Amino acid sequence: MDRVQKKDMVEDLGQIFSQSGSVVIARYTGLTVAQMTDLRKRFGAAGAQFKVIKNRLAKIALENSGNGAARAMFVEPTGIAFSSDPVAPAKIAAEFAKQNQKFVIIGGLLGKTTLDENGVKALAVIPSLDELRAQLLGVLSAPATKLARTLNAPGVGMVTVLDAYRRKQEDEQAAA
């Protein structure tokens, strides 16, 4: 990698660290190519990405973006998972770490906040953005459904009374 490529990589990493909803930092030593491919597919399906990065360049990018506290996480071969959805990378990483002991979550970044391994796992149990939207939609549509039932109730009651009156008339005619 020449100097220009390194500079571009530092700028790209700086944007990732500052603009992503969250960044999960993990070690992947010992994973096979098939496992890494599976990992990348899982992140891609969730709208996230996983990149293997050079630690020295990541430390420079962190220093430039004001997240210098996370520099200590970049030792050994390291990869980062990131997305605009703050929960997606943590969910996928935690799930994959349970299935593969060689994939180890070190920590992460949530905005300017540095997270340890437990912080990332706590982030993983929060509902995703899509799940929260679905829950919100359910909450917002519930009053409309109740309103429709309430407005419909007098009509249903009136039909029930008229049906009872009709049956009473039929019973009286049949008796006569």
Side-chain angles (χ1 to χ4, degrees), residues 12-43:
D12 289 345
L13 287 171
Q15 287 181 350
I16 289 170
F17 291 141
S18 64
Q19 295 177 0
S20 296
S22 70
V23 177
V24 175
I25 303 163
R27 301 224 168 86
Y28 59 89
T29 305
L31 289 179
T32 65
V33 172
Q35 289 171 325
M36 285 295 283
T37 302
D38 179 42
L39 177 64
R40 284 190 169 108
K41 283 182 183 177
R42 290 182 188 198
F43 279 114

PDB file of all heavy atoms in Angstrom, residues 12-43:
ATOM      1  N   ASP A  12     -11.358   7.018   4.874  1.00  0.00           N
ATOM      2  CA  ASP A  12     -12.529   6.126   4.834  1.00  0.00           C
ATOM      3  C   ASP A  12     -12.863   5.606   6.235  1.00  0.00           C
ATOM      4  O   ASP A  12     -14.027   5.595   6.640  1.00  0.00           O
ATOM      5  CB  ASP A  12     -12.291   4.945   3.888  1.00  0.00           C
ATOM      6  CG  ASP A  12     -12.279   5.343   2.426  1.00  0.00           C
ATOM      7  OD1 ASP A  12     -12.737   6.465   2.102  1.00  0.00           O
ATOM      8  OD2 ASP A  12     -11.809   4.530   1.595  1.00  0.00           O
ATOM      9  N   LEU A  13     -11.843   5.177   6.960  1.00  0.00           N
ATOM     10  CA  LEU A  13     -12.062   4.687   8.325  1.00  0.00           C
ATOM     11  C   LEU A  13     -12.586   5.795   9.230  1.00  0.00           C
ATOM     12  O   LEU A  13     -13.464   5.564  10.060  1.00  0.00           O
ATOM     13  CB  LEU A  13     -10.775   4.088   8.897  1.00  0.00           C
ATOM     14  CG  LEU A  13     -10.346   2.748   8.331  1.00  0.00           C
ATOM     15  CD1 LEU A  13      -8.961   2.371   8.819  1.00  0.00           C
ATOM     16  CD2 LEU A  13     -11.351   1.666   8.664  1.00  0.00           C
ATOM     17  N   GLY A  14     -12.073   6.986   9.050  1.00  0.00           N
ATOM     18  CA  GLY A  14     -12.554   8.123   9.834  1.00  0.00           C
ATOM     19  C   GLY A  14     -14.031   8.382   9.598  1.00  0.00           C
ATOM     20  O   GLY A  14     -14.788   8.655  10.534  1.00  0.00           O
ATOM     21  N   GLN A  15     -14.454   8.282   8.338  1.00  0.00           N
ATOM     22  CA  GLN A  15     -15.878   8.453   8.025  1.00  0.00           C
ATOM     23  C   GLN A  15     -16.704   7.334   8.637  1.00  0.00           C
ATOM     24  O   GLN A  15     -17.795   7.573   9.150  1.00  0.00           O
ATOM     25  CB  GLN A  15     -16.085   8.512   6.519  1.00  0.00           C
ATOM     26  CG  GLN A  15     -15.628   9.798   5.896  1.00  0.00           C
ATOM     27  CD  GLN A  15     -15.872   9.823   4.392  1.00  0.00           C
ATOM     28  OE1 GLN A  15     -16.219   8.824   3.784  1.00  0.00           O
ATOM     29  NE2 GLN A  15     -15.675  10.992   3.790  1.00  0.00           N
ATOM     30  N   ILE A  16     -16.192   6.107   8.557  1.00  0.00           N
ATOM     31  CA  ILE A  16     -16.906   4.973   9.151  1.00  0.00           C
ATOM     32  C   ILE A  16     -17.066   5.194  10.656  1.00  0.00           C
ATOM     33  O   ILE A  16     -18.163   5.045  11.194  1.00  0.00           O
ATOM     34  CB  ILE A  16     -16.155   3.646   8.876  1.00  0.00           C
ATOM     35  CG1 ILE A  16     -16.280   3.277   7.402  1.00  0.00           C
ATOM     36  CG2 ILE A  16     -16.691   2.525   9.762  1.00  0.00           C
ATOM     37  CD1 ILE A  16     -15.387   2.127   6.970  1.00  0.00           C
ATOM     38  N   PHE A  17     -15.989   5.571  11.342  1.00  0.00           N
ATOM     39  CA  PHE A  17     -16.043   5.754  12.785  1.00  0.00           C
ATOM     40  C   PHE A  17     -16.955   6.911  13.189  1.00  0.00           C
ATOM     41  O   PHE A  17     -17.606   6.853  14.224  1.00  0.00           O
ATOM     42  CB  PHE A  17     -14.639   5.985  13.361  1.00  0.00           C
ATOM     43  CG  PHE A  17     -13.748   4.768  13.291  1.00  0.00           C
ATOM     44  CD1 PHE A  17     -12.415   4.901  12.974  1.00  0.00           C
ATOM     45  CD2 PHE A  17     -14.243   3.499  13.538  1.00  0.00           C
ATOM     46  CE1 PHE A  17     -11.584   3.792  12.915  1.00  0.00           C
ATOM     47  CE2 PHE A  17     -13.418   2.382  13.475  1.00  0.00           C
ATOM     48  CZ  PHE A  17     -12.086   2.531  13.163  1.00  0.00           C
ATOM     49  N   SER A  18     -17.018   7.954  12.388  1.00  0.00           N
ATOM     50  CA  SER A  18     -17.807   9.126  12.776  1.00  0.00           C
ATOM     51  C   SER A  18     -19.244   9.089  12.276  1.00  0.00           C
ATOM     52  O   SER A  18     -20.123   9.666  12.904  1.00  0.00           O
ATOM     53  CB  SER A  18     -17.121  10.402  12.291  1.00  0.00           C
ATOM     54  OG  SER A  18     -17.069  10.431  10.880  1.00  0.00           O
ATOM     55  N   GLN A  19     -19.529   8.391  11.174  1.00  0.00           N
ATOM     56  CA  GLN A  19     -20.861   8.451  10.584  1.00  0.00           C
ATOM     57  C   GLN A  19     -21.706   7.200  10.793  1.00  0.00           C
ATOM     58  O   GLN A  19     -22.914   7.241  10.575  1.00  0.00           O
ATOM     59  CB  GLN A  19     -20.753   8.746   9.088  1.00  0.00           C
ATOM     60  CG  GLN A  19     -20.170  10.106   8.802  1.00  0.00           C
ATOM     61  CD  GLN A  19     -19.988  10.365   7.312  1.00  0.00           C
ATOM     62  OE1 GLN A  19     -20.306   9.523   6.483  1.00  0.00           O
ATOM     63  NE2 GLN A  19     -19.469  11.527   6.977  1.00  0.00           N
ATOM     64  N   SER A  20     -21.112   6.104  11.205  1.00  0.00           N
ATOM     65  CA  SER A  20     -21.876   4.873  11.396  1.00  0.00           C
ATOM     66  C   SER A  20     -22.696   4.960  12.679  1.00  0.00           C
ATOM     67  O   SER A  20     -22.296   5.616  13.638  1.00  0.00           O
ATOM     68  CB  SER A  20     -20.939   3.672  11.490  1.00  0.00           C
ATOM     69  OG  SER A  20     -20.254   3.489  10.280  1.00  0.00           O
ATOM     70  N   GLY A  21     -23.832   4.261  12.673  1.00  0.00           N
ATOM     71  CA  GLY A  21     -24.650   4.194  13.885  1.00  0.00           C
ATOM     72  C   GLY A  21     -23.875   3.528  15.010  1.00  0.00           C
ATOM     73  O   GLY A  21     -23.917   3.951  16.148  1.00  0.00           O
ATOM     74  N   SER A  22     -23.175   2.458  14.661  1.00  0.00           N
ATOM     75  CA  SER A  22     -22.299   1.786  15.618  1.00  0.00           C
ATOM     76  C   SER A  22     -21.220   1.030  14.857  1.00  0.00           C
ATOM     77  O   SER A  22     -21.382   0.708  13.684  1.00  0.00           O
ATOM     78  CB  SER A  22     -23.075   0.826  16.513  1.00  0.00           C
ATOM     79  OG  SER A  22     -23.526  -0.283  15.772  1.00  0.00           O
ATOM     80  N   VAL A  23     -20.145   0.754  15.550  1.00  0.00           N
ATOM     81  CA  VAL A  23     -19.035  -0.027  15.001  1.00  0.00           C
ATOM     82  C   VAL A  23     -18.705  -1.109  16.020  1.00  0.00           C
ATOM     83  O   VAL A  23     -18.523  -0.816  17.204  1.00  0.00           O
ATOM     84  CB  VAL A  23     -17.786   0.850  14.749  1.00  0.00           C
ATOM     85  CG1 VAL A  23     -16.630   0.007  14.247  1.00  0.00           C
ATOM     86  CG2 VAL A  23     -18.100   1.975  13.771  1.00  0.00           C
ATOM     87  N   VAL A  24     -18.669  -2.359  15.570  1.00  0.00           N
ATOM     88  CA  VAL A  24     -18.287  -3.471  16.437  1.00  0.00           C
ATOM     89  C   VAL A  24     -16.878  -3.888  16.050  1.00  0.00           C
ATOM     90  O   VAL A  24     -16.584  -4.097  14.879  1.00  0.00           O
ATOM     91  CB  VAL A  24     -19.264  -4.655  16.290  1.00  0.00           C
ATOM     92  CG1 VAL A  24     -18.790  -5.846  17.101  1.00  0.00           C
ATOM     93  CG2 VAL A  24     -20.667  -4.245  16.709  1.00  0.00           C
ATOM     94  N   ILE A  25     -16.016  -4.014  17.043  1.00  0.00           N
ATOM     95  CA  ILE A  25     -14.626  -4.387  16.822  1.00  0.00           C
ATOM     96  C   ILE A  25     -14.452  -5.832  17.296  1.00  0.00           C
ATOM     97  O   ILE A  25     -14.822  -6.166  18.418  1.00  0.00           O
ATOM     98  CB  ILE A  25     -13.680  -3.442  17.590  1.00  0.00           C
ATOM     99  CG1 ILE A  25     -13.957  -1.994  17.161  1.00  0.00           C
ATOM    100  CG2 ILE A  25     -12.231  -3.817  17.362  1.00  0.00           C
ATOM    101  CD1 ILE A  25     -13.423  -0.950  18.094  1.00  0.00           C
ATOM    102  N   ALA A  26     -13.909  -6.681  16.413  1.00  0.00           N
ATOM    103  CA  ALA A  26     -13.797  -8.103  16.743  1.00  0.00           C
ATOM    104  C   ALA A  26     -12.505  -8.695  16.204  1.00  0.00           C
ATOM    105  O   ALA A  26     -11.928  -8.200  15.237  1.00  0.00           O
ATOM    106  CB  ALA A  26     -14.990  -8.856  16.174  1.00  0.00           C
ATOM    107  N   ARG A  27     -12.088  -9.792  16.822  1.00  0.00           N
ATOM    108  CA  ARG A  27     -10.939 -10.562  16.348  1.00  0.00           C
ATOM    109  C   ARG A  27     -11.472 -11.799  15.656  1.00  0.00           C
ATOM    110  O   ARG A  27     -12.428 -12.415  16.105  1.00  0.00           O
ATOM    111  CB  ARG A  27     -10.049 -10.951  17.519  1.00  0.00           C
ATOM    112  CG  ARG A  27      -9.547  -9.729  18.249  1.00  0.00           C
ATOM    113  CD  ARG A  27      -8.089  -9.796  18.599  1.00  0.00           C
ATOM    114  NE  ARG A  27      -7.633  -8.482  19.043  1.00  0.00           N
ATOM    115  CZ  ARG A  27      -7.737  -8.051  20.292  1.00  0.00           C
ATOM    116  NH1 ARG A  27      -8.236  -8.818  21.209  1.00  0.00           N
ATOM    117  NH2 ARG A  27      -7.317  -6.836  20.604  1.00  0.00           N
ATOM    118  N   TYR A  28     -10.838 -12.157  14.586  1.00  0.00           N
ATOM    119  CA  TYR A  28     -11.331 -13.243  13.740  1.00  0.00           C
ATOM    120  C   TYR A  28     -10.281 -14.319  13.492  1.00  0.00           C
ATOM    121  O   TYR A  28     -10.459 -15.189  12.642  1.00  0.00           O
ATOM    122  CB  TYR A  28     -11.807 -12.679  12.396  1.00  0.00           C
ATOM    123  CG  TYR A  28     -10.704 -11.946  11.671  1.00  0.00           C
ATOM    124  CD1 TYR A  28      -9.853 -12.620  10.803  1.00  0.00           C
ATOM    125  CD2 TYR A  28     -10.496 -10.593  11.877  1.00  0.00           C
ATOM    126  CE1 TYR A  28      -8.830 -11.957  10.157  1.00  0.00           C
ATOM    127  CE2 TYR A  28      -9.476  -9.929  11.240  1.00  0.00           C
ATOM    128  CZ  TYR A  28      -8.644 -10.611  10.381  1.00  0.00           C
ATOM    129  OH  TYR A  28      -7.628  -9.957   9.754  1.00  0.00           O
ATOM    130  N   THR A  29      -9.180 -14.322  14.215  1.00  0.00           N
ATOM    131  CA  THR A  29      -8.077 -15.249  13.995  1.00  0.00           C
ATOM    132  C   THR A  29      -8.575 -16.695  14.081  1.00  0.00           C
ATOM    133  O   THR A  29      -9.219 -17.077  15.052  1.00  0.00           O
ATOM    134  CB  THR A  29      -6.957 -15.035  15.038  1.00  0.00           C
ATOM    135  OG1 THR A  29      -6.570 -13.668  14.978  1.00  0.00           O
ATOM    136  CG2 THR A  29      -5.776 -15.918  14.751  1.00  0.00           C
ATOM    137  N   GLY A  30      -8.284 -17.479  13.054  1.00  0.00           N
ATOM    138  CA  GLY A  30      -8.653 -18.887  13.042  1.00  0.00           C
ATOM    139  C   GLY A  30      -9.903 -19.210  12.256  1.00  0.00           C
ATOM    140  O   GLY A  30     -10.221 -20.381  12.059  1.00  0.00           O
ATOM    141  N   LEU A  31     -10.627 -18.191  11.805  1.00  0.00           N
ATOM    142  CA  LEU A  31     -11.824 -18.452  10.995  1.00  0.00           C
ATOM    143  C   LEU A  31     -11.398 -18.886   9.592  1.00  0.00           C
ATOM    144  O   LEU A  31     -10.438 -18.365   9.036  1.00  0.00           O
ATOM    145  CB  LEU A  31     -12.705 -17.207  10.894  1.00  0.00           C
ATOM    146  CG  LEU A  31     -13.451 -16.774  12.148  1.00  0.00           C
ATOM    147  CD1 LEU A  31     -14.255 -15.503  11.866  1.00  0.00           C
ATOM    148  CD2 LEU A  31     -14.372 -17.856  12.656  1.00  0.00           C
ATOM    149  N   THR A  32     -12.136 -19.817   9.035  1.00  0.00           N
ATOM    150  CA  THR A  32     -11.849 -20.268   7.674  1.00  0.00           C
ATOM    151  C   THR A  32     -12.409 -19.261   6.674  1.00  0.00           C
ATOM    152  O   THR A  32     -13.197 -18.379   7.046  1.00  0.00           O
ATOM    153  CB  THR A  32     -12.492 -21.641   7.410  1.00  0.00           C
ATOM    154  OG1 THR A  32     -13.912 -21.492   7.478  1.00  0.00           O
ATOM    155  CG2 THR A  32     -12.010 -22.681   8.412  1.00  0.00           C
ATOM    156  N   VAL A  33     -12.033 -19.417   5.433  1.00  0.00           N
ATOM    157  CA  VAL A  33     -12.545 -18.538   4.381  1.00  0.00           C
ATOM    158  C   VAL A  33     -14.057 -18.697   4.273  1.00  0.00           C
ATOM    159  O   VAL A  33     -14.792 -17.714   4.111  1.00  0.00           O
ATOM    160  CB  VAL A  33     -11.853 -18.853   3.028  1.00  0.00           C
ATOM    161  CG1 VAL A  33     -12.501 -18.082   1.901  1.00  0.00           C
ATOM    162  CG2 VAL A  33     -10.372 -18.531   3.109  1.00  0.00           C
ATOM    163  N   ALA A  34     -14.543 -19.920   4.391  1.00  0.00           N
ATOM    164  CA  ALA A  34     -15.992 -20.165   4.320  1.00  0.00           C
ATOM    165  C   ALA A  34     -16.720 -19.471   5.468  1.00  0.00           C
ATOM    166  O   ALA A  34     -17.795 -18.894   5.271  1.00  0.00           O
ATOM    167  CB  ALA A  34     -16.272 -21.667   4.351  1.00  0.00           C
ATOM    168  N   GLN A  35     -16.139 -19.504   6.664  1.00  0.00           N
ATOM    169  CA  GLN A  35     -16.756 -18.837   7.810  1.00  0.00           C
ATOM    170  C   GLN A  35     -16.752 -17.316   7.626  1.00  0.00           C
ATOM    171  O   GLN A  35     -17.730 -16.648   7.955  1.00  0.00           O
ATOM    172  CB  GLN A  35     -16.031 -19.219   9.094  1.00  0.00           C
ATOM    173  CG  GLN A  35     -16.269 -20.658   9.511  1.00  0.00           C
ATOM    174  CD  GLN A  35     -15.377 -21.086  10.663  1.00  0.00           C
ATOM    175  OE1 GLN A  35     -14.224 -20.657  10.772  1.00  0.00           O
ATOM    176  NE2 GLN A  35     -15.906 -21.945  11.516  1.00  0.00           N
ATOM    177  N   MET A  36     -15.661 -16.781   7.105  1.00  0.00           N
ATOM    178  CA  MET A  36     -15.599 -15.334   6.861  1.00  0.00           C
ATOM    179  C   MET A  36     -16.612 -14.925   5.799  1.00  0.00           C
ATOM    180  O   MET A  36     -17.259 -13.878   5.910  1.00  0.00           O
ATOM    181  CB  MET A  36     -14.187 -14.916   6.426  1.00  0.00           C
ATOM    182  CG  MET A  36     -13.176 -14.897   7.543  1.00  0.00           C
ATOM    183  SD  MET A  36     -13.517 -13.661   8.797  1.00  0.00           S
ATOM    184  CE  MET A  36     -12.979 -12.184   7.962  1.00  0.00           C
ATOM    185  N   THR A  37     -16.774 -15.763   4.779  1.00  0.00           N
ATOM    186  CA  THR A  37     -17.758 -15.477   3.731  1.00  0.00           C
ATOM    187  C   THR A  37     -19.158 -15.499   4.313  1.00  0.00           C
ATOM    188  O   THR A  37     -19.982 -14.624   4.026  1.00  0.00           O
ATOM    189  CB  THR A  37     -17.634 -16.508   2.587  1.00  0.00           C
ATOM    190  OG1 THR A  37     -16.296 -16.457   2.081  1.00  0.00           O
ATOM    191  CG2 THR A  37     -18.612 -16.212   1.469  1.00  0.00           C
ATOM    192  N   ASP A  38     -19.431 -16.492   5.157  1.00  0.00           N
ATOM    193  CA  ASP A  38     -20.733 -16.577   5.830  1.00  0.00           C
ATOM    194  C   ASP A  38     -20.969 -15.349   6.698  1.00  0.00           C
ATOM    195  O   ASP A  38     -22.062 -14.774   6.696  1.00  0.00           O
ATOM    196  CB  ASP A  38     -20.789 -17.857   6.671  1.00  0.00           C
ATOM    197  CG  ASP A  38     -22.108 -18.002   7.431  1.00  0.00           C
ATOM    198  OD1 ASP A  38     -23.170 -17.719   6.832  1.00  0.00           O
ATOM    199  OD2 ASP A  38     -22.072 -18.404   8.606  1.00  0.00           O
ATOM    200  N   LEU A  39     -19.938 -14.932   7.435  1.00  0.00           N
ATOM    201  CA  LEU A  39     -20.035 -13.755   8.294  1.00  0.00           C
ATOM    202  C   LEU A  39     -20.368 -12.510   7.473  1.00  0.00           C
ATOM    203  O   LEU A  39     -21.275 -11.750   7.822  1.00  0.00           O
ATOM    204  CB  LEU A  39     -18.723 -13.552   9.048  1.00  0.00           C
ATOM    205  CG  LEU A  39     -18.624 -12.323   9.949  1.00  0.00           C
ATOM    206  CD1 LEU A  39     -19.620 -12.413  11.091  1.00  0.00           C
ATOM    207  CD2 LEU A  39     -17.211 -12.177  10.486  1.00  0.00           C
ATOM    208  N   ARG A  40     -19.670 -12.318   6.374  1.00  0.00           N
ATOM    209  CA  ARG A  40     -19.919 -11.143   5.531  1.00  0.00           C
ATOM    210  C   ARG A  40     -21.323 -11.172   4.928  1.00  0.00           C
ATOM    211  O   ARG A  40     -21.975 -10.133   4.793  1.00  0.00           O
ATOM    212  CB  ARG A  40     -18.858 -11.057   4.444  1.00  0.00           C
ATOM    213  CG  ARG A  40     -17.533 -10.559   4.981  1.00  0.00           C
ATOM    214  CD  ARG A  40     -16.570 -10.256   3.848  1.00  0.00           C
ATOM    215  NE  ARG A  40     -15.427  -9.537   4.358  1.00  0.00           N
ATOM    216  CZ  ARG A  40     -14.205 -10.046   4.482  1.00  0.00           C
ATOM    217  NH1 ARG A  40     -13.975 -11.289   4.111  1.00  0.00           N
ATOM    218  NH2 ARG A  40     -13.221  -9.321   4.952  1.00  0.00           N
ATOM    219  N   LYS A  41     -21.797 -12.362   4.555  1.00  0.00           N
ATOM    220  CA  LYS A  41     -23.156 -12.490   4.012  1.00  0.00           C
ATOM    221  C   LYS A  41     -24.199 -12.112   5.061  1.00  0.00           C
ATOM    222  O   LYS A  41     -25.183 -11.446   4.759  1.00  0.00           O
ATOM    223  CB  LYS A  41     -23.415 -13.912   3.521  1.00  0.00           C
ATOM    224  CG  LYS A  41     -22.768 -14.222   2.202  1.00  0.00           C
ATOM    225  CD  LYS A  41     -23.094 -15.632   1.753  1.00  0.00           C
ATOM    226  CE  LYS A  41     -22.390 -15.978   0.454  1.00  0.00           C
ATOM    227  NZ  LYS A  41     -22.647 -17.371   0.046  1.00  0.00           N
ATOM    228  N   ARG A  42     -23.985 -12.549   6.288  1.00  0.00           N
ATOM    229  CA  ARG A  42     -24.925 -12.215   7.370  1.00  0.00           C
ATOM    230  C   ARG A  42     -24.982 -10.709   7.594  1.00  0.00           C
ATOM    231  O   ARG A  42     -26.055 -10.134   7.747  1.00  0.00           O
ATOM    232  CB  ARG A  42     -24.517 -12.908   8.667  1.00  0.00           C
ATOM    233  CG  ARG A  42     -24.721 -14.398   8.650  1.00  0.00           C
ATOM    234  CD  ARG A  42     -24.349 -14.987   9.979  1.00  0.00           C
ATOM    235  NE  ARG A  42     -24.346 -16.429   9.936  1.00  0.00           N
ATOM    236  CZ  ARG A  42     -24.396 -17.193  11.004  1.00  0.00           C
ATOM    237  NH1 ARG A  42     -24.462 -16.643  12.209  1.00  0.00           N
ATOM    238  NH2 ARG A  42     -24.392 -18.504  10.902  1.00  0.00           N
ATOM    239  N   PHE A  43     -23.811 -10.085   7.630  1.00  0.00           N
ATOM    240  CA  PHE A  43     -23.791  -8.634   7.807  1.00  0.00           C
ATOM    241  C   PHE A  43     -24.453  -7.939   6.619  1.00  0.00           C
ATOM    242  O   PHE A  43     -25.219  -6.999   6.790  1.00  0.00           O
ATOM    243  CB  PHE A  43     -22.360  -8.118   7.986  1.00  0.00           C
ATOM    244  CG  PHE A  43     -21.839  -8.275   9.383  1.00  0.00           C
ATOM    245  CD1 PHE A  43     -20.789  -9.134   9.655  1.00  0.00           C
ATOM    246  CD2 PHE A  43     -22.400  -7.579  10.431  1.00  0.00           C
ATOM    247  CE1 PHE A  43     -20.301  -9.286  10.935  1.00  0.00           C
ATOM    248  CE2 PHE A  43     -21.923  -7.719  11.729  1.00  0.00           C
ATOM    249  CZ  PHE A  43     -20.867  -8.580  11.976  1.00  0.00           C
TER     250      PHE A  43
END
